Amino acid sequence: MTRKWIYPVLLTGLFALLIRLSLPAGCVYGSTTDWLSQHTALAETIRTAMLEQKTLLPTYLSLGGGSNGFQFSYYGYLRPDILLGCLLPAVSMYKIVIAYALGGYLLSVLLFYLLLRRHNLSGFDSFMGSVLFLTASCFFHTHRQLMFVNYMPFLLLALLAVKKSPRRMPALLPLWMLLICLHSFYYAPACFVVIGWYWAWLSGKYFFRPWFVSCALGGFMAFALLLPTGLSILEHRRASTSGDAGLATFFEDFQSLLYSSYGLGVTLIVLYLVILGVAIRKYRAISLTFLLLFLWGGISYLLNATLYARAKILMPFLPLLLLHCALILSDLKNGRERWQLWPFPLLFAVIFRYLHKSYWTLVLTDFIFLLAVVLLAMAVSEERAEASEGVTSMPGSRLRYLLSRFAFLCLLIIPCLFFLRSASKEEFVTQADMDAALDKPALALYTDSLYRYDSLVHPLVNGNREASSVRSKSSMYSSVYSNEYSQVYYDYLKTPVQINNRLAILTANNPFLLNFMGVRYLETSPSHVPAGYRVLWEDGKTAVSENTSVLPTAYLTTDTMTDTLFNRIKGWEQAEALTRTTVIPESEADASTISGKVSTKNADGWHTEIRYYQPLWSSKEIPATVQLTTTGDIKNRSYDLKVSRDSTVTLTFKQPIQKQLLLLKFDVVNHTGKAVTITINGVKNKLSAPSAAYPNGNEAFQYQFLASAEKELTKLKIKLPKGHYTLRNIRFGLLDASVFQEKSWNSVESLDTEKNEILACRASTDEDTWFVTSIPMQKGMTLFVDGEKTDLVTVNTAFAGARLTAGEHEIRLCFDPPGMKAGIWISMLAGIVWLSLLIFQHFHANKERH
């Protein structure tokens, strides 16, 4: 092995060791939260859509009732590992994702080492800087939020290209910028800023023109992805749930820089070097810029497109930060600059803010260790001027050299420990859990395109999984979603909120939801098959059941009410109204389409069949771990609960409930900083902790329990979490189970779809009627009736529908994502311009040689 390969080999070995030590036995390299439920699940779903639709840009995914595919493009459209998955369809997508993530991580470390070497740092100095890069806690996201870091190798290739050619546009730079956009368009603006800053660092004012041209070419070549994605984001934009102060945000404890895996996640040695750089003239400006960047949250706020001021957007600055620190460290090691103790009071003031953190002991150890190493380095520092050639080494110089190297290597211990600490906080997926998530029921179903297939088995894990043209799902988990669809799902149909945020639209055992969204096939555990469903298959762990009475995803009806009336009714009655009738715009209503269920005698115009109910209990089983205080009268009773550990309360009805839907609602007041999750008869509601990244605000818990003649409701089994909280405004209601057969509707005949069609059917009616779907309305939809374009109307507040005249009709609902065709043309044109520039540069270079 030649000398120049020693340090890359050592880096590769250290990388393998740290990854091995961070991964528990029997686990897969990925988290049980976002990695499993979003990144790998959507990678599999996107690959399936690519293969089915025979395109690299699927226009439509059968998630969330049916969605613009570009709502999910952040999770893998045109990303190389997904494209590789299309070439290897027999290989599980999660294996390809893991291999690609780890490969990109290692490549980033080696490219950063090369970048340091290009700045004339020695192999040892470059190795030290590269270890700091390798151990940065932000790389935690190679097994959680992939897009936080998966652009890193292409960012480093861009920096290396600029280093090689700082006076003109590097030939391949637009390609690296394109790949940054394809891997993580959210981080692309920050990456482009980093490239521009580095270019200015190298060449001063000459950087702007070639940098701007490179950004334009790289960005425009990605427009096939960026334009339709941007239009989708604008269509479904939502207000930020953040409580940040925006431009007035400050990271006083430098959590944007230190320790956190949602910042850069480096240790005190980096902050020490940046502060020390302020006292060194040639490093002063850059050090001050970095201190401003990591102290003032306003820059993060701007880079996050004013959504919130969060440090995660600063991760692309890691290479420049550590390059800056490596240069200072090299000068200190080689005696060109002096070690100083004056930064330590400032460092202690920073770490004192971590006093009450669970990892305070490790933070304090970091401070003490750094101080000891600096003192040791000061004691054995090398002479400023190197000995001239031929001068005999002074006695002890070899020992001083070894002690100096030892002091510097000691600086790498704490970063490695913090890297392992961050990994130890991850909930890695076990191989058994991964196998269970991928396990498919051994049941061949012909899933009619007019019905859906959902899962109550780990709804978060399965929310984005297995969607295809024949297995449409009502669930989805993406940062871009239809606000109107989410409102129907949670606010109108009263579906329980099961996790910390409402970004995830998850299937739940809610009879209103399952009926309305046409969930004919349902995966559950064998002991939790909902009433109305008949078991088709089970294996002891999972059961697949069918309900033939749910509404299809498209049907005809004259049973309607106006949106004006719908908006006047509240609470459970809105779920009841969507179940019994169809909501249409006031402007489209006439006497022929208004349902007889709408009462002209009632002041509100709506006659509800919900009966408010006060249950009687034959027994109450309350464990001693639940301390209960009751206030208020029988109609407005509140229960203050102090639960010393997770407990179960069982309430048995004096009279079992049959053929009715039991409705239960109560408000939760949380008296602690922890989340409150209450599960009743297997149905879970959660109020997130106030500190959650996207708090769900779910203070009103809603439950619905359907009892049939065969499956009567005899008790409520209530699982309470440890904590202190109050349940108040408790209300029960009853609704006859026949409510699910009350809506008058006629079926349509499914037809094969073609090209960009998402629904094709044949309908026959003897009178003017409404064509109703449970496919969310979105821009890009076009309806053709008998070959003629027909106006679409929003029905049930969020879904596509239309008026039909009497007769037989062929109906085809088409979808073209807004901006996709224009984006493809722009990408092609930008690609041609880039290739033309390459050819011009090639001939110009040949001309100069001759």
Side-chain angles (χ1 to χ4, degrees):
M1 182 189 302
T2 60
R3 186 179 180 84
K4 69 177 182 178
W5 290 106
I6 291 176
Y7 291 114
V9 170
L10 287 175
L11 284 170
T12 303
L14 181 60
F15 169 84
L17 177 63
L18 290 175
I19 295 300
R20 182 65 192 89
L21 291 175
S22 66
L23 186 63
C27 289
V28 171
Y29 190 75
S31 73
T32 58
T33 51
D34 302 286
W35 185 87
L36 183 59
S37 59
Q38 286 182 284
H39 299 282
T40 58
L42 282 167
E44 191 72 64
T45 296
I46 291 169
R47 175 173 71 171
T48 298
M50 287 178 172
L51 294 174
E52 286 186 349
Q53 299 180 32
K54 295 180 175 60
T55 176
L56 298 180
L57 292 169
T59 59
Y60 187 78
L61 294 185
S62 299
L63 295 170
S67 305
N68 182 340
F70 288 93
Q71 289 177 228
F72 306 89
S73 62
Y74 182 61
Y75 299 94
Y77 272 34
L78 297 179
R79 211 172 67 205
D81 52 334
I82 309 293
L83 302 182
L84 178 63
C86 292
L87 298 176
L88 303 170
V91 180
S92 293
M93 201 63 230
Y94 86 91
K95 294 180 180 178
I96 295 174
V97 168
I98 291 172
Y100 192 79
L102 287 175
Y105 183 6
L106 176 58
L107 179 60
S108 298
V109 173
L110 298 177
L111 287 173
F112 183 70
Y113 174 83
L114 180 58
L115 181 66
L116 296 183
R117 293 288 283 155
R118 292 281 171 85
H119 278 266
N120 299 317
L121 294 182
S122 68
F124 180 80
D125 294 344
S126 299
F127 173 77
M128 287 195 60
S130 299
V131 173
L132 293 177
F133 183 88
L134 164 63
T135 55
S137 293
C138 61
F139 287 109
F140 172 91
H141 293 287
T142 54
H143 48 75
R144 180 166 289 191
Q145 297 281 8
L146 299 178
M147 277 65 79
F148 286 14
V149 292
N150 68 352
Y151 54 83
M152 197 65 76
F154 307 100
L155 174 59
L156 285 160
L157 284 168
L159 297 180
L160 285 165
V162 171
K163 175 61 178 170
K164 185 177 181 180
S165 177
R167 292 284 180 164
R168 59 186 178 87
M169 187 189 80
L172 294 180
L173 182 57
L175 174 62
W176 306 138
M177 289 178 150
L178 166 64
L179 286 167
I180 289 171
C181 293
L182 298 185
H183 282 78
S184 184
F185 56 77
Y186 180 78
Y187 279 85
C191 290
F192 287 12
V193 169
V194 167
I195 295 167
W197 185 10
Y198 181 64
W199 213 328
W201 183 346
L202 294 178
S203 62
K205 63 182 181 180
Y206 299 104
F207 88 97
F208 184 78
R209 183 176 177 180
W211 170 76
F212 181 80
V213 172
S214 301
C215 290
L217 285 174
F220 281 128
M221 284 195 293
F223 247 48
L225 172 72
L226 298 183
L227 183 58
T229 298
L231 293 175
S232 177
I233 292 172
L234 290 174
E235 179 183 356
H236 301 298
R237 63 185 180 273
R238 55 186 171 82
S240 172
T241 56
S242 170
D244 294 329
L247 292 174
T249 301
F250 287 89
F251 305 128
E252 295 89 348
D253 58 357
F254 281 95
Q255 72 267 33
S256 57
L257 178 67
L258 300 174
Y259 307 126
S260 172
S261 56
Y262 281 83
L264 272 69
V266 295
T267 55
L268 276 181
I269 177 58
V270 173
L271 183 56
Y272 171 81
L273 292 171
V274 172
I275 293 175
L276 188 62
V278 175
I280 303 172
R281 177 176 295 181
K282 65 179 178 178
Y283 297 122
R284 183 173 298 147
I286 294 177
S287 281
L288 287 172
T289 304
F290 275 125
L291 288 174
L292 177 66
L293 181 69
F294 294 110
L295 182 61
W296 179 43
I299 300 175
S300 300
Y301 179 70
L302 296 175
L303 289 174
N304 277 305
T306 71
L307 288 174
Y308 35 57
R310 293 190 183 158
K312 62 184 182 182
I313 198 64
L314 300 178
M315 291 178 189
F317 290 87
L318 180 67
L320 290 193
L321 172 69
L322 294 185
L323 170 60
H324 177 65
C325 292
L327 292 171
I328 297 174
L329 194 59
S330 178
D331 282 356
L332 292 170
K333 182 180 75 69
N334 294 302
R336 291 188 290 270
E337 300 293 343
R338 290 184 178 274
W339 293 93
Q340 302 287 343
L341 293 178
W342 62 263
F344 281 93
L346 297 176
L347 295 181
F348 188 78
V350 170
I351 69 164
F352 188 75
R353 299 180 64 88
Y354 289 81
L355 179 60
H356 299 293
K357 299 285 187 181
S358 61
Y359 50 95
W360 161 250
T361 302
L362 196 53
V363 171
L364 184 59
T365 303
D366 186 20
F367 178 84
I368 295 172
F369 205 83
L370 175 62
L371 178 59
V373 169
V374 169
L375 290 172
L376 176 61
M378 292 175 71
V380 300
S381 59
E382 298 175 348
E383 298 293 335
R384 280 182 178 271
E386 296 181 1
S388 59
E389 188 175 347
V391 175
T392 305
S393 298
M394 295 177 60
S397 62
R398 182 63 179 171
L399 177 61
R400 290 164 62 85
Y401 174 85
L402 293 175
L403 285 175
S404 175
R405 293 301 182 269
F406 174 75
F408 282 96
L409 288 174
C410 285
L411 291 174
L412 305 179
I413 295 174
I414 294 297
C416 291
L417 292 178
F418 265 103
F419 177 88
L420 294 175
R421 179 201 167 271
S422 295
S424 71
K425 300 299 179 182
E426 180 66 283
E427 292 184 48
F428 284 100
V429 182
T430 66
Q431 186 62 59
D433 288 339
M434 193 75 236
D435 293 341
L438 297 176
D439 187 33
K440 297 179 181 179
L443 174 67
L445 286 177
Y446 170 70
T447 308
D448 192 319
S449 61
L450 293 177
Y451 293 93
R452 296 191 171 94
Y453 183 112
D454 271 327
S455 178
L456 296 180
V457 179
H458 305 300
L460 179 61
V461 171
N462 291 311
N464 289 323
R465 202 175 295 278
E466 279 194 76
S468 67
S469 59
V470 294
R471 285 200 171 184
S472 175
K473 302 172 77 84
S474 68
S475 59
M476 65 176 288
Y477 186 11
S478 173
S479 55
V480 182
Y481 61 91
S482 167
N483 292 288
E484 293 76 16
Y485 180 59
S486 177
Q487 186 175 38
V488 170
Y489 215 88
Y490 287 121
D491 297 336
Y492 298 157
L493 295 176
K494 314 302 177 189
T495 302
V497 180
Q498 303 174 66
I499 65 169
N500 276 338
N501 62 60
R502 280 184 41 154
L503 299 178
I505 300 175
L506 303 180
T507 309
N509 185 1
N510 173 4
F512 289 128
L513 168 72
L514 300 177
N515 178 77
F516 181 85
M517 290 303 299
V519 182
R520 180 168 180 167
Y521 302 101
L522 193 63
E523 284 184 19
T524 65
S525 65
S527 60
H528 286 89
V529 177
Y533 282 82
R534 177 179 63 89
V535 175
L536 300 176
W537 172 92
E538 67 173 283
D539 67 352
K541 296 182 296 183
T542 305
V544 177
S545 57
E546 179 185 23
N547 184 345
T548 58
S549 299
V550 299
L551 291 170
T553 57
Y555 56 90
L556 306 178
T557 186
T558 57
D559 217 350
T560 63
M561 68 184 298
T562 66
D563 55 2
T564 303
L565 173 57
F566 179 79
N567 291 328
R568 285 209 301 264
I569 62 179
K570 303 296 179 185
W572 289 322
E573 293 181 20
Q574 289 182 317
E576 178 196 12
L578 289 174
T579 301
R580 297 173 62 198
T581 70
T582 294
V583 179
I584 61 172
E586 179 81 38
S587 59
E588 300 287 340
D590 58 45
S592 66
T593 59
I594 296 300
S595 170
K597 303 179 182 74
V598 177
S599 171
T600 55
K601 297 179 182 179
N602 189 302
D604 291 330
W606 170 252
H607 175 68
T608 181
E609 294 182 355
I610 297 173
R611 306 180 303 282
Y612 289 90
Y613 169 65
Q614 187 63 46
L616 298 176
W617 313 106
S618 63
S619 66
K620 300 178 181 178
E621 299 175 21
I622 304 175
T625 53
V626 178
Q627 184 181 340
L628 182 68
T629 304
T630 306
T631 58
D633 58 31
I634 193 169
K635 289 186 178 180
N636 295 286
R637 186 160 291 169
S638 296
Y639 297 92
D640 187 74
L641 299 169
K642 294 180 180 178
V643 186
S644 59
R645 68 168 184 263
D646 293 354
S647 306
T648 300
V649 171
T650 303
L651 306 177
T652 304
F653 290 101
K654 194 168 187 178
Q655 183 67 41
I657 296 174
Q658 291 183 329
K659 296 183 180 180
Q660 294 187 91
L661 181 63
L662 175 69
L663 307 172
L664 170 59
K665 170 190 175 294
F666 53 81
D667 296 333
V668 177
V669 181
N670 187 7
H671 302 299
T672 70
K674 298 180 179 179
V676 176
T677 302
I678 298 178
T679 302
I680 304 178
N681 289 15
V683 179
K684 180 170 75 172
N685 258 294
K686 184 172 187 176
L687 171 62
S688 60
S691 59
Y694 303 95
N696 60 26
N698 183 38
E699 296 177 343
F701 283 19
Q702 304 269 1
Y703 300 85
Q704 306 86 16
F705 307 104
L706 182 61
S708 62
E710 301 80 16
K711 210 168 189 177
E712 61 183 21
L713 185 62
T714 60
K715 63 181 66 175
L716 297 181
K717 192 173 182 179
I718 307 170
K719 294 183 178 180
L720 300 172
K722 178 182 177 181
H724 179 202
Y725 39 91
T726 300
L727 310 185
R728 64 185 187 185
N729 299 327
I730 302 171
R731 296 290 183 270
F732 286 90
L734 285 177
L735 185 60
D736 288 341
S738 60
V739 67
F740 298 110
Q741 282 74 49
E742 277 198 38
K743 182 180 288 187
S744 174
W745 59 274
N746 293 319
S747 61
V748 298
E749 178 189 353
S750 178
L751 301 174
D752 292 335
T753 56
E754 301 173 359
K755 296 180 181 178
N756 60 341
E757 295 172 356
I758 58 176
L759 175 67
C761 62
R762 183 176 291 110
S764 181
T765 176
D766 296 330
E767 57 182 334
D768 290 356
T769 189
W770 279 90
F771 173 68
V772 178
T773 77
S774 55
I775 300 173
M777 179 73 94
Q778 50 210 294
K779 294 178 181 178
M781 280 184 168
T782 308
L783 183 70
F784 293 92
V785 178
D786 300 325
E788 295 186 5
K789 186 176 179 180
T790 303
D791 290 338
L792 277 166
V793 177
T794 300
V795 297
N796 288 326
T797 76
F799 303 92
R803 296 197 67 160
L804 289 183
T805 57
E808 184 173 303
H809 303 285
E810 184 176 290
I811 303 169
R812 295 188 179 271
L813 181 61
C814 303
F815 181 72
D816 286 301
M820 188 181 79
K821 291 179 180 178
I824 291 173
W825 280 108
I826 292 171
S827 291
M828 291 174 61
L829 181 60
I832 292 171
V833 172
W834 176 55
L835 290 174
S836 300
L837 284 175
L838 289 183
I839 294 170
F840 173 79
Q841 286 185 0
H842 176 73
F843 281 110
H844 183 69
N846 284 340
K847 187 176 180 181
E848 286 183 343
R849 288 194 203 102
H850 293 87

